[in-house]
């Protein structure tokens, strides 16, 4: 099963071009307190399935965690349960990679 991914450089280009993109931060609250936050909607991974109705439908949605592993696994889980949408992407390298390029 293949999911959509986007790397930090591609994401930066989208933001720089004012493309319609929404970040979804699936890290836990303590991770955000330690590592910092992004300009995103925070939905911890454990709450995501119950809160899918909060995710916009008409724009590119980029899910991120600290390193990219959990967001990738979460999208695979959504795909296996027929909840995956074509506008969902996982940020390669996660928040840590995003900080390096931002």
């Amino acid at each position: 099963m293949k999911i959509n991914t986007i790397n930090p450089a591609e994401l930066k280009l989208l933001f720089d071009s004012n493309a319609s993109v929404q970040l979804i931060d699936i890290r836990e609250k303590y991770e955000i307190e330690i590592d910092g936050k992004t300009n995103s909607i925070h939905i911890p991974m454990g709450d995501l399935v119950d809160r899918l109705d909060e995710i916009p439908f008409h724009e590119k949605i980029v899910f991120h965690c600290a390193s990219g592993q959990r967001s990738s696994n979460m999208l695979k889980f959504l795909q296996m349960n027929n909840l995956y949408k074509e506008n969902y992407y996982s940020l390669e390298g996660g928040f840590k990679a995003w900080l390096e390029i931002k």
Side-chain angles (χ1 to χ4, degrees):
M1 292 183 285
K2 176 139 173 51
I3 60 163
N4 297 324
T5 60
I6 188 168
N7 67 49
E10 293 168 327
L11 180 60
K12 185 173 184 332
L13 285 174
L14 289 174
F15 280 128
D16 289 348
S17 69
N18 293 318
S20 185
V21 179
Q22 177 61 60
L23 289 175
I24 306 290
D25 187 343
I26 66 167
R27 296 176 298 157
E28 298 300 323
K29 184 178 179 180
Y30 75 89
E31 292 177 281
I32 293 170
E33 291 170 356
I34 293 169
D35 295 329
K37 62 187 266 182
T38 58
N39 187 18
S40 62
I41 297 172
H42 178 237
I43 304 176
M45 187 173 83
D47 297 340
L48 188 63
V49 172
D50 294 331
R51 295 177 59 188
L52 285 174
D53 60 331
E54 295 177 34
I55 298 173
F57 289 102
H58 304 293
E59 56 191 344
K60 189 172 283 200
I61 306 299
V62 179
F63 294 86
H64 77 83
C65 58
S67 69
Q69 187 65 44
R70 283 177 289 172
S71 59
S72 177
N73 288 339
M74 175 53 73
L75 291 184
K76 288 175 186 173
F77 172 83
L78 293 177
Q79 191 175 54
M80 289 186 325
N81 289 280
N82 296 317
L83 298 169
Y84 181 80
K85 308 285 186 204
E86 287 302 314
N87 62 322
Y88 289 178
Y89 289 76
S90 176
L91 179 60
E92 295 173 357
F95 182 68
K96 292 175 183 175
W98 176 244
L99 285 178
E100 290 177 13
I101 196 163
K102 193 172 173 203

